[in-house]
Amino acid sequence: KGNRIVIPHRDVDGNLIGIKGRALNQFEIDNGYKYLPISVQDVLYNHPTHGNLYGIHQNIEVIKKLGKAIIFESEKSVMQIETMFPNNNFSLATSGSTISQQQVRMLLDLNINEVIIAFDKEFEDEDSPQAKAYMKKILKIGRKFSNYIQTNVIWDSHGLIEYKSSPSDFGKDTLISLMKSKQEIRSKE
């Protein structure tokens, strides 16, 4: 009814914990209402997104089998990966551009060997102050894992994706190219 894509959020056991709506109306997106909780019969289905990883219930077995997970910002990316790799979806989403300690713990508890950070591209020029600030942010996120498991980041140095885009937005071939050039984040030591 609100012209939104409905996105159910489930915990690791498959329990419904919240429902988000992704706006399709450009005026809502332009005014900062891209994602909002959905109401059904006057019940608001919001939840603290920092306490869950979107896709964990659906993709946990593949993640454990492969021993790795790729972490995106948005639920859309997890759905795109499902289309690209329907039997090997090892993706999850943080539902934002940060990762909480609870989300880090959830990942480490899966006993994986590798995490790949694939957040949206937040720079246009790789040599800009904006890119350097973004790199600092990504390093800070990566170092939450790098003392425990191999930690890589997808960093678009070749202009394969656009500013504000996810590494999954330009199709399977582009994502594979980005994955081939992923860079390791090491601990501070």
Side-chain angles (χ1 to χ4, degrees), residues 121 156-162 170 173-175 177-178 181:
K121 185 176 181 178
D156 181 22
S157 296
H158 303 292
L160 298 177
I161 62 175
E162 296 172 4
F170 290 88
D173 292 338
T174 300
L175 180 63
S177 292
L178 290 166
S181 63

Side-chain angles (χ1 to χ4, degrees), residues 34-166:
K34 191 173 185 179
Y35 289 97
L36 289 174
I38 296 287
S39 292
V40 179
Q41 296 178 344
D42 296 326
V43 176
L44 183 64
Y45 286 91
N46 61 341
H47 71 291
T49 56
H50 69 274
N52 196 48
L53 290 163
Y54 179 81
I56 195 162
H57 171 67
Q58 296 89 337
N59 301 333
I60 192 168
E61 293 307 318
V62 173
I63 291 166
K64 285 182 174 181
K65 182 179 86 175
L66 297 177
K68 63 182 174 180
I70 185 168
I71 309 302
F72 293 96
E73 288 183 32
S74 78
E75 298 90 348
K76 171 196 67 169
S77 294
V78 175
M79 292 180 225
Q80 288 170 328
I81 299 303
E82 182 62 31
T83 301
M84 293 177 207
F85 306 100
N87 298 314
N88 279 315
N89 190 345
F90 65 103
S91 68
L92 300 169
T94 59
S95 300
S97 63
T98 61
I99 190 163
S100 71
Q101 272 312 121
Q102 191 170 352
Q103 290 168 323
V104 169
R105 179 58 33 218
M106 288 174 74
L107 279 161
L108 293 175
D109 286 348
L110 296 176
N111 294 316
I112 58 176
N113 304 312
E114 178 186 8
V115 65
I116 303 163
I117 301 164
F119 279 15
D120 295 0
K121 185 176 181 178
E122 293 294 330
F123 59 89
E124 293 183 77
D125 174 6
E126 191 174 24
D127 295 321
S128 68
Q130 186 180 24
K132 290 176 182 16
Y134 186 64
M135 182 180 288
K136 254 178 122 171
K137 176 182 174 178
I138 295 298
L139 286 171
K140 185 177 178 182
I141 291 169
R143 289 194 173 120
K144 292 181 179 187
F145 296 101
S146 62
N147 285 329
Y148 309 104
I149 59 176
Q150 182 178 346
T151 305
N152 292 298
V153 61
I154 290 180
W155 187 266
D156 181 22
S157 296
H158 303 292
L160 298 177
I161 62 175
E162 296 172 4
Y163 176 62
K164 297 278 188 185
S165 296
S166 168

Side-chain angles (χ1 to χ4, degrees), residues 6-25:
V6 176
I7 306 167
H9 276 248
R10 298 187 180 279
D11 66 13
V12 70
D13 298 317
N15 300 308
L16 183 68
I17 58 172
I19 306 173
K20 283 175 72 175
R22 198 316 189 156
L24 296 175
N25 298 323

